[in-house]
């Protein structure tokens, strides 16, 4: 479906504008380009107001398609001044290339947050013809001031802040202005300047937000650091400098002082050779400069990043039209083929002047001033009832637009994490297969009844209440998880095999956290009890909020988060200690096999980092739900700022730790691997493929890493581990589709330097996932200086072993699952084996966001009535308890391979908020207590079902609820 058809007619279209609206870099009358075919990926974009938007786009789409979609979503005409930047795998901030496909730029698109930001800063803001564009520039200036990038003297800083607060809170009123400045920081050291800011603010009376933006940009454009992004460098003498680029040319800074400038008219050529950045000047007899200036940067990549932005700045401000692409060389290429893509500033100005869209109003999100201003380009709380399918590319909802359902759509494609099924053991000691994991039977839990439904009707129906309730329920689970670690510390702490440093590290990290969160949970429980109206306090409305509790406790939690970056050291030290002591290794294995340890032990160690991400998400939902005038909005916003700062600091370390944890986990599942856990190796995907051999297609488990792919079979062992049969290095590997060649559906060939392997996936979707990840890994291996690919032990490297694979090795061994296991036989590897599917590291990482806890009602396919269960949703599984006080789950259900749908009318499920899980003949119905919970479970579990299907069914179902309320009973 071409972008802009369904999507633009929703929130992407300007009010009163014709259908043939030209956007961003498109010519007048054109619609956004057609979305290329292929697998879609969810891309997160952080806007200039710090909100995040989610876009669903083909990985094969170019960067321009995504950028145009963002501009369309904001109704932005002058989008060419902006860009999308992100941190690449070398930890450098780079701009998204409009020409290259997204898949070739983002290594982990689902886990990368792109930032929408100003890219080109014009010399005069009067050249920005739209008020919306100036508003976005003002937000950029506000960000640059806050982070210290836009340095200036105190008077200029105070003057700019006065214009910002004039646009946000309106005319000066002393007590209001002082209170606002005490609660909001606009510059790094604001307190000494409050009086000066208030003095300037008192002189801005009568200025509208648009006028305030104009005045802010008027001050900012005169500053030396306006629009400057410094790139560290050194001159030939080794002096530390910084290079920058502006509309005038290339600039040289020492600290924050400009010491030189090379105007475009004087520059003959810009180039780079390895780490050297070269500026070739035009001959000038009156100049003392050499013809060629040389600067040394940190790396070739740093040179290239700066060179590219110079090329773009020169083209945007100096050329009349977009440069034509270079003709492709016949035999070989020399140098970079990069070029500027998009309209030049002259083309933008000419186009906007000829259009009729400049005067269309919008409403500012951050302004409390009631002016006749404009419909916000960034989603405002007042308009969050409008569905946002335009930024996701999904089928529009049938629900009415004033439905509260549309405030937050579930995130399609957000994956869950690793599965670990911990079922109660049967009387004969057999451990059931994860393929047929049982749920609790009718006697396993308390049956709910209509009285329970009547009682629930008394509770608040406000969405904020259910968001706060999610905080409560997940905090209960998190506290239990912390208790697992403290119990582990007690179990191994008294043993002499445990190093003192390890004991102290665990004790000093987790004991204070457990104590703190015990108090935090108590406060949340008390607040929710008041909110639900169990006393008379709720009548005044003083307790129908949660932001104050979160702000207070997150500020109290900050001192405890300083040591969280050391959790990787705990993981590493625990691994080293287990290798050095068989006794400690046995203690850890025995503890991990206990029911209370329902997921791998080292995942619990990462829980504090994951929990910070959960707090951030909960606060984001509250801030999006509340109006800016709500009593809880300010506290939620402040708490969000605090936790976002901590999360951003720890994000890079978390990615490394999750990869390290996954390597440690996989090491336990594999036999025949000598050195899996080494620095530089990244896990990418594991899953089931059929390998073509002389005996036909044989089921194999494949493990893809950044340097090698392993293939294994499930061994006939009591430990249920997988036996490695071979390895293929990724360096020099190529892939080709082989369906026609071998006559096998979904077949493709891995062509290595010394060996080729033909494999077949279970479906087209699985084949596409594998091929995309393989291609990405092969590209990584070309430039990687990572570990050697030789993973196998010496007695496993003989090719004769590969040829000696037997069908017994690959046949699912139910008997091995039934033996008393020294190693868990229900890990994610086993679930993928049974379900004939795969899962990637990106899925594991993003899955952290979808952890949930709370009560669900469950019904079997042929049973009567519903059972109330406490459910923990994590690691690709639902874990079932009788109540939240239980220490361990009674049963579990791994969800990989399950489909998620809405019950049909023929199934006679006449209840609200019911979703259906089914895999082959296994069918379960689950019922949530609210529309919000229904959305949350749907967005979390829906990756198990075909792309977009659950979203369509979900909104169709809710639309039916709103149109026919009498059809369904109350929860």
């Amino acid at each position: 479906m071409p972008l802009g058809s369904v999507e633009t007619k929703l929130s992407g279209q300007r009010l009163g504008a014709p259908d043939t609206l030209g956007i961003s870099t498109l010519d007048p009358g054109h619609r956004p380009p057609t979305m290329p075919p292929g697998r879609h990926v969810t891309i997160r974009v952080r806007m200039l107001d710090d909100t995040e938007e989610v876009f669903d786009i083909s990985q094969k789409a170019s960067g321009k398609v995504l950028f145009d979609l963002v501009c369309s979503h904001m109704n932005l005409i002058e989008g060419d001044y902006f860009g999308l930047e992100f941190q690449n795998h070398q930890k450098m901030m780079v701009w998204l290339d409009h020409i290259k496909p997204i898949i070739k730029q983002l290594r982990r698109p689902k886990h990368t947050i792109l930032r929408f930001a100003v890219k080109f800063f014009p010399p005069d803001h009067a050249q920005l013809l739209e008020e919306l564009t100036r508003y976005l520039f003002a937000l950029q200036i506000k960000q640059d001031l806050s982070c210290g990038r836009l340095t200036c003297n105190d008077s200029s800083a105070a003057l700019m802040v006065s214009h910002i607060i004039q646009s946000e809170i309106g005319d000066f009123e002393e007590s209001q202005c002082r209170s606002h400045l005490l609660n909001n920081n606009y510059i790094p050291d604001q307190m000494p300047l409050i009086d000066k800011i208030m003095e300037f603010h008192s002189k801005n009376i009568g200025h509208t937000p648009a006028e305030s933006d104009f005045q802010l940009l008027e001050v900012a454009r005169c500053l030396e650091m306006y629009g400057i992004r410094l790139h560290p460098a050194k001159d030939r003498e080794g002096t530390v400098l910084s290079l920058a680029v502006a509309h005038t040319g290339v600039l040289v800074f020492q600290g924050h002082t400009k010491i030189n400038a090379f105007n475009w008219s004087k520059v003959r050529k810009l180039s780079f050779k390895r780490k050297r950045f070269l500026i070739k000047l035009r001959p000038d007899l009156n100049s003392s400069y050499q013809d060629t200036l040389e600067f040394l940067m940190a790396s070739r990549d740093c040179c290239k990043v700066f060179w590219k932005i110079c090329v773009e700045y020169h083209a945007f401000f100096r050329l009349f039209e977009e440069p034509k692409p270079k003709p492709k060389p016949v035999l070989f290429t020399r140098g970079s083929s990069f070029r500027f893509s998009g309209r030049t500033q002259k083309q933008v100005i000419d186009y906007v002047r000829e259009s009729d869209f400049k005067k269309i109003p919008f409403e500012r999100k951050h302004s409390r001033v009631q002016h006749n201003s404009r419909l916000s380009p960034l989603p405002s709380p007042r308009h969050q009832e409008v569905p946002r399918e335009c930024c996701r590319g999904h089928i529009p909802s049938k629900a009415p637009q004033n439905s509260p359902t549309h405030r937050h759509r579930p995130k399609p494609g957000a994956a869950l994490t690793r599965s670990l099924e911990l079922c109660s053991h049967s009387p004969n000691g057999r451990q059931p297969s994860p393929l047929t994991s049982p749920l609790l039977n009718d006697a396993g839990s308390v049956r709910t009844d209509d009285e329970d439904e009547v009682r629930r009707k008394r509770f608040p129906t406000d969405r904020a209440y259910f968001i706060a309730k999610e905080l409560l329920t997940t905090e209960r689970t998190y506290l239990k998880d912390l208790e697992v670690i403290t119990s582990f510390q007690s179990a191994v702490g008294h043993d002499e095999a445990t190093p003192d440093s390890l004991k102290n590290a665990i004790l000093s990290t987790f004991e204070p956290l457990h104590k703190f969160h015990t108090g935090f949970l108590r406060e949340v429980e008390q607040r929710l009890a008041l909110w639900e109206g169990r006393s008379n306090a709720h009548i005044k409305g003083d307790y129908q909020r949660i932001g104050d509790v979160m702000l207070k406790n997150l500020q109290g939690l900050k001192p405890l988060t300083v040591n969280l970056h050391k959790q990787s050291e705990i993981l590493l030290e625990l691994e080293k200690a287990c290798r050095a002591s068989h006794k400690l290794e046995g203690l850890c294995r025995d503890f991990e096999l206990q029911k209370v340890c329902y997921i791998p032990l080292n995942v619990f160690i990462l829980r504090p980092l994951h929990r910070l991400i959960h707090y951030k998400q909960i606060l984001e939902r509250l801030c999006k739900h509340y109006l800016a005038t709500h009593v809880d909005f300010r506290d939620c916003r402040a708490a969000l700022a605090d936790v976002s700062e901590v999360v951003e600091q720890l994000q890079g370390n978390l990615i490394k730790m999750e990869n390290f944890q996954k390597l440690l986990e996989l090491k336990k599942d594999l036999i025949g691997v000598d050195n899996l856990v080494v620095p530089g190796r990244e896990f990418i995907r594991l899953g089931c493929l059929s390998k073509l051999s002389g005996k036909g297609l044989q089921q194999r488990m494949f493990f893809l890493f950044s340097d090698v792919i392993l293939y294994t079979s499930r061994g006939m062992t009591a430990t249920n581990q997988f036996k490695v049969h071979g390895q293929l290095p990724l360096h020099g590997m190529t892939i080709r589709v082989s369906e026609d060649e071998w006559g096998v559906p979904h077949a493709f060939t891995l062509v290595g330097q010394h060996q080729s392997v033909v494999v077949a996936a279970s479906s087209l979707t699985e084949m596409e996932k594998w091929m995309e990840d393989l291609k990405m890994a092969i590209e990584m291996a070309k430039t990687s200086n990572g570990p050697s690919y030789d993973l196998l032990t010496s007695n496993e490297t003989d090719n004769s072993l590969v040829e000696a694979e037997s069908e017994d090795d690959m046949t699912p061994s139910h008997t091995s699952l039934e033996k008393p296991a020294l190693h868990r036989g229900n890990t994610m590897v086993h679930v993928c084996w049974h379900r004939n599917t795969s899962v990637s590291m990106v899925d594991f990482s993003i899955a952290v966001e979808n952890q949930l806890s709370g009560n669900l009602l469950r019904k079997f396919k042929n049973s009567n009535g519903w059972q109330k269960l406490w459910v923990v949703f994590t690691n690709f599984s639902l874990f079932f308890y009788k109540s939240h006080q239980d220490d361990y789950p009674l049963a579990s259900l791994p969800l990989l391979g399950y489909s998620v749908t809405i019950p049909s009318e023929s199934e006679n499920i006449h209840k609200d908020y019911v979703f259906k899980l089914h895999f082959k003949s296994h069918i379960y119905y689950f019922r949530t207590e609210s529309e919000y919970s229904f959305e949350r479970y749907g967005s979390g579990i829906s990756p198990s079902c075909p792309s977009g299907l659950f979203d369509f069914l979900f909104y169709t179902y809710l639309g039916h609820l709103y149109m026919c309320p009498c059809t369904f009973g109350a929860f």
Side-chain angles (χ1 to χ4, degrees):
M1 181 193 304
L3 288 176
S5 55
V6 172
E7 293 82 1
T8 305
K9 287 179 182 292
L10 296 171
S11 62
Q13 180 173 321
R14 288 173 171 244
L15 300 178
D19 288 342
T20 56
L21 170 66
I23 61 168
S24 187
T25 58
L26 304 177
D27 292 331
H30 285 197
R31 289 188 179 275
T34 302
M35 183 75 73
R39 181 186 175 195
H40 279 224
V41 64
T42 299
I43 302 286
R44 290 188 291 170
V45 178
R46 182 169 296 164
M47 299 301 188
L48 281 166
D49 66 342
D50 289 329
T51 60
E52 284 186 12
E53 294 294 332
V54 181
F55 298 86
D56 192 46
I57 193 168
S58 169
Q59 283 189 336
K60 296 180 181 179
S62 66
K64 181 175 180 294
V65 172
L66 174 61
F67 182 73
D68 286 342
L69 196 58
V70 175
C71 291
S72 175
H73 174 61
M74 293 192 294
N75 308 325
L76 180 61
I77 300 298
E78 297 175 292
D80 306 78
Y81 290 99
F82 302 85
L84 296 172
E85 60 178 351
F86 64 96
Q87 190 177 60
N88 65 10
H89 64 281
Q90 294 164 321
K91 308 302 181 186
M92 293 189 295
M93 293 302 295
V94 298
W95 294 101
L96 187 73
D97 193 319
H98 283 196
I99 298 176
K100 287 184 179 180
I102 290 174
I103 191 174
K104 292 194 174 182
Q105 301 187 66
L106 306 182
R107 277 177 62 184
R108 305 171 71 185
K110 294 181 182 178
H111 202 66
T112 301
I113 299 178
L114 288 86
R115 295 174 182 266
F116 180 83
V118 176
K119 188 174 184 179
F120 302 113
F121 290 81
D124 185 359
H125 55 282
Q127 295 173 327
L128 305 175
L129 303 182
E130 286 240 306
E131 182 186 336
L132 167 56
T133 313
R134 292 193 294 273
Y135 168 63
L136 294 174
F137 265 74
L139 291 179
Q140 183 70 66
I141 297 303
K142 180 181 172 183
Q143 280 191 6
D144 291 351
L145 267 176
S146 176
C147 70
R149 180 186 285 166
L150 181 56
T151 57
C152 57
N153 59 41
D154 289 349
S155 294
S156 296
L159 182 57
M160 286 190 287
V161 173
S162 75
H163 291 307
I164 294 173
I165 62 175
Q166 174 69 24
S167 70
E168 291 186 355
I169 66 175
D171 290 343
F172 176 76
E173 195 283 316
E174 184 174 359
S175 60
Q176 180 194 25
C177 180
R178 185 177 297 277
S179 174
H180 185 78
L181 289 171
L182 290 174
N183 287 285
N184 297 273
N185 283 322
Y186 295 98
I187 49 179
D189 192 16
Q190 181 172 290
M191 287 299 294
L193 296 179
I194 286 184
D195 290 337
K196 186 181 289 289
I197 294 170
M198 293 176 63
E199 179 185 350
F200 283 132
H201 186 201
S202 65
K203 299 175 182 179
N204 295 336
I205 293 176
H207 287 184
T208 67
E211 292 169 338
S212 297
D213 287 347
F214 195 90
Q215 293 299 327
L216 172 64
L217 297 178
E218 182 69 25
V219 178
R221 76 183 182 95
C222 299
L223 300 176
E224 194 163 72
M225 294 301 292
Y226 170 68
I228 296 300
R229 304 294 183 261
L230 298 176
H231 298 255
K234 294 181 181 179
D235 62 12
R236 287 181 173 176
E237 286 71 40
T239 305
V240 177
L241 305 167
S242 295
L243 299 179
V245 61
H247 67 281
T248 55
V250 181
L251 312 178
V252 183
F253 284 80
Q254 193 162 31
H256 287 87
T257 303
K258 183 170 68 176
I259 61 173
N260 228 325
F262 302 99
N263 195 282
W264 293 126
S265 61
K266 297 179 180 180
V267 176
R268 180 167 63 89
K269 184 180 181 181
L270 296 175
S271 61
F272 64 96
K273 293 182 180 179
R274 295 187 176 90
K275 295 183 180 181
R276 295 180 298 147
F277 185 81
L278 306 174
I279 304 176
K280 295 184 179 181
L281 302 175
R282 300 185 186 278
D284 185 355
L285 297 177
N286 298 322
S287 174
S288 60
Y289 292 119
Q290 306 169 10
D291 289 343
T292 302
L293 300 174
E294 181 179 310
F295 297 90
L296 188 67
M297 305 188 82
S299 66
R300 178 187 180 277
D301 291 326
C302 292
C303 278
K304 188 171 183 179
V305 166
F306 182 61
W307 173 78
K308 288 169 75 172
I309 190 62
C310 288
V311 170
E312 292 184 307
Y313 250 83
H314 176 268
F316 184 75
F317 287 108
R318 299 278 291 184
L319 300 185
F320 289 150
E321 59 184 21
E322 178 182 354
K324 304 300 181 186
K326 296 179 182 178
K328 292 186 178 180
V330 178
L331 295 177
F332 59 89
T333 180
R334 182 178 181 182
S336 174
S337 62
F338 174 79
R339 67 178 178 89
F340 171 73
S341 173
R343 294 184 298 195
T344 65
Q345 186 188 33
K346 182 181 184 305
Q347 287 177 307
V348 175
I349 292 174
D350 291 345
Y351 168 65
V352 178
R353 280 175 176 164
E354 293 169 2
S355 69
D356 297 323
F357 306 121
K358 296 186 294 297
K359 311 244 181 209
I360 297 173
F362 73 92
E363 180 180 332
R364 294 158 178 270
K365 177 173 182 180
H366 294 284
S367 178
R368 303 178 191 173
V369 188
Q370 299 301 317
H371 290 280
N372 184 20
S373 60
R374 309 160 82 188
L375 176 61
S376 173
L378 305 172
S380 98
R382 193 180 303 275
H383 292 85
Q384 286 183 359
E385 292 82 8
V386 179
R388 290 192 246 164
E389 285 84 351
C390 62
C391 60
R392 306 181 195 272
H394 286 302
I395 301 171
S397 166
K398 293 185 181 179
Q401 290 192 0
N402 61 356
S403 161
T405 304
H406 291 272
R407 290 179 182 141
H408 301 285
R409 280 199 61 180
K411 294 181 181 179
L416 311 179
T417 40
R418 164 184 187 284
S419 163
L420 182 63
E421 175 204 358
L422 182 58
C423 301
S424 53
H425 292 280
S426 56
N428 59 8
R430 296 181 178 183
Q431 191 176 17
S433 161
L435 180 67
T436 57
S437 170
L439 289 171
L440 298 177
N441 56 28
D442 285 343
S445 66
V446 179
R447 186 183 302 275
T448 188
D449 54 27
D450 291 339
E451 291 180 3
D452 201 28
E453 295 179 358
V454 172
R455 182 183 61 83
R456 269 189 293 275
K457 289 182 179 179
R458 301 200 316 267
F459 286 179
T461 57
D462 180 24
R463 185 183 184 86
Y465 163 76
F466 291 107
I467 299 175
K469 192 169 183 180
E470 180 183 331
L471 171 67
L472 168 66
T473 55
T474 52
E475 188 72 12
R476 285 170 173 167
T477 297
Y478 174 57
L479 191 61
K480 288 284 186 182
D481 289 348
L482 289 178
E483 289 172 1
V484 172
I485 295 297
T486 55
S487 299
F488 170 73
Q489 196 275 335
S490 300
V492 302
H494 300 295
D495 194 277
E496 58 185 14
T498 307
D500 290 337
S501 57
L502 178 60
K503 298 177 189 176
N504 295 335
I506 296 176
L507 187 66
S508 62
T509 301
F510 290 95
E511 284 287 353
L513 284 173
H514 181 266
K515 182 178 179 181
F516 174 85
H517 285 280
T518 301
F520 182 27
L521 175 60
R522 188 182 305 115
E523 288 189 42
V524 175
E525 287 176 332
Q526 291 171 351
R527 176 56 57 86
L528 265 291
L530 294 171
W531 198 334
E532 290 168 356
R534 299 178 194 172
S535 75
N536 292 329
H538 73 284
I539 297 174
K540 299 179 181 179
D542 294 340
Y543 296 100
Q544 293 185 354
R545 56 194 173 112
I546 197 66
D548 57 330
V549 176
M550 294 198 71
L551 178 60
K552 169 194 166 186
N553 282 277
L554 286 175
Q555 290 175 343
L557 182 62
K558 262 192 174 181
L560 301 181
T561 62
V562 295
N563 294 325
L564 292 185
H565 68 280
K566 295 182 179 179
Q567 288 181 301
S568 56
E569 299 174 12
I570 296 177
L571 286 176
L572 184 60
E573 190 162 354
L574 179 59
E575 170 68 8
K576 287 181 178 178
C578 288
R579 285 203 308 265
S581 170
H582 290 299
K583 183 179 180 182
L584 179 60
E585 183 182 20
L587 289 172
C588 292
R589 184 175 60 247
D590 292 343
F591 183 85
E592 197 168 21
L593 288 172
Q594 294 181 24
K595 292 181 179 180
V596 70
C597 196
Y598 63 101
I599 55 177
L601 175 62
N602 50 23
V603 175
F604 286 104
I605 295 175
L606 302 185
R607 278 296 197 241
L609 288 171
H610 295 163
R611 191 57 181 155
L612 292 173
I613 296 175
H614 300 159
Y615 292 146
K616 179 174 178 285
Q617 291 175 325
I618 287 170
L619 287 163
E620 284 173 343
R621 293 189 196 105
L622 285 168
C623 288
K624 286 184 178 181
H625 168 68
Y626 285 136
L627 296 174
T629 55
H630 193 280
V631 66
D632 206 22
F633 179 80
R634 182 178 296 178
D635 287 337
C636 288
R637 191 77 178 181
L640 176 59
D642 285 345
V643 74
S644 297
E645 178 185 356
V646 177
V647 168
E648 191 163 346
Q649 292 171 356
L650 296 172
Q651 185 64 43
N653 197 41
L654 175 60
I655 294 173
K656 294 178 182 178
M657 283 195 286
E658 286 179 335
N659 181 71
F660 180 53
Q661 181 271 322
K662 194 56 57 183
L663 292 176
L664 292 176
E665 184 182 323
L666 293 178
K667 180 183 175 183
K668 297 178 182 178
D669 274 313
L670 298 175
I671 297 176
V673 173
D674 194 20
N675 54 345
L676 183 65
V677 185
V678 293
R681 174 167 291 131
E682 295 182 32
F683 163 67
I684 297 176
R685 179 176 291 276
L686 66 86
C688 210
L689 293 170
S690 296
K691 177 177 173 289
L692 187 63
S693 68
K695 298 179 181 179
L697 290 172
Q698 296 182 317
Q699 186 179 358
R700 293 285 179 263
M701 278 297 294
F702 281 70
F703 298 81
L704 176 61
F705 302 96
S706 55
D707 59 329
V708 66
I709 183 170
L710 303 178
Y711 54 96
T712 71
S713 65
R714 214 181 86 187
M716 300 281 291
T717 65
T719 59
N720 292 308
Q721 291 168 290
F722 284 77
K723 186 177 182 180
V724 179
H725 284 289
Q727 61 183 351
L728 289 172
L730 298 185
H731 188 75
M733 178 184 286
T734 58
I735 310 171
R736 69 170 185 266
V737 177
S738 309
E739 290 181 325
D740 296 334
E741 181 180 353
W742 297 99
V744 177
H746 319 309
F748 55 98
T749 303
L750 310 178
V751 183
Q753 292 181 334
H754 305 292
Q755 182 187 359
S756 296
V757 174
V758 180
V759 294
S762 59
S763 66
L764 177 61
T765 301
E766 279 292 304
M767 183 181 78
E768 290 176 345
K769 290 178 182 178
W770 275 106
M771 291 190 70
E772 287 175 8
D773 282 350
L774 278 162
K775 288 175 182 176
M776 177 194 71
I778 291 169
E779 288 296 317
M780 290 168 56
K782 287 180 181 178
T783 57
S784 173
N785 295 320
S788 167
Y789 65 81
D790 192 9
L791 292 175
L792 304 189
T793 54
S794 57
N795 63 338
E796 296 284 359
T797 56
D798 189 358
N799 286 335
S800 62
L801 175 65
V802 179
E803 299 298 326
E805 295 177 11
S806 68
E807 292 188 21
D808 291 336
D809 286 335
M810 69 88 179
T811 304
S813 172
H814 296 287
T815 56
S816 65
L817 277 177
E818 295 167 357
K819 295 178 181 179
L822 300 176
H823 173 75
R824 286 185 184 271
N826 50 12
T827 64
M828 180 55 54
V829 180
H830 291 81
V831 175
C832 287
W833 173 270
H834 282 287
R835 304 271 169 84
N836 199 19
T837 188
S838 67
V839 64
S840 72
M841 187 62 208
V842 174
D843 297 330
F844 284 115
S845 299
I846 299 178
V848 170
E849 302 175 2
N850 294 287
Q851 298 179 23
L852 287 169
S853 304
N855 289 314
L856 281 181
L857 297 177
R858 191 229 54 200
K859 178 183 180 298
F860 287 121
K861 178 181 178 182
N862 297 318
S863 66
N864 296 320
W866 297 80
Q867 292 177 331
K868 183 180 178 182
L869 300 168
W870 176 262
V871 176
V872 174
F873 180 39
T874 185
N875 286 37
F876 290 107
S877 293
L878 291 171
F879 295 91
F880 301 97
Y881 304 72
K882 285 186 178 181
S883 71
H884 69 83
Q885 289 95 347
D886 291 353
D887 291 327
Y888 57 85
L890 301 175
S892 70
L893 181 66
L895 295 182
L896 277 183
Y898 267 78
S899 295
V900 189
T901 57
I902 305 300
S904 64
E905 292 185 5
S906 62
E907 293 172 276
N908 295 318
I909 307 293
H910 299 302
K911 296 290 184 181
D912 292 352
Y913 316 129
V914 177
F915 59 91
K916 181 172 99 174
L917 296 175
H918 55 100
F919 174 78
K920 295 186 177 179
S921 61
H922 304 280
I923 296 178
Y924 308 106
Y925 301 98
F926 291 95
R927 187 165 134 226
T928 66
E929 67 176 348
S930 67
E931 179 183 304
Y932 171 78
S933 301
F934 183 67
E935 291 179 43
R936 292 286 292 121
Y937 277 99
S939 63
I941 301 176
S942 59
S944 300
C945 92
S947 177
L949 174 60
F950 185 82
D951 295 288
F952 172 70
L953 294 169
F954 173 78
Y955 284 99
T956 301
Y957 177 55
L958 286 181
H960 189 47
L961 284 181
Y962 282 102
M963 288 184 287
C964 309
C966 59
T967 307
F968 298 87
F971 180 86

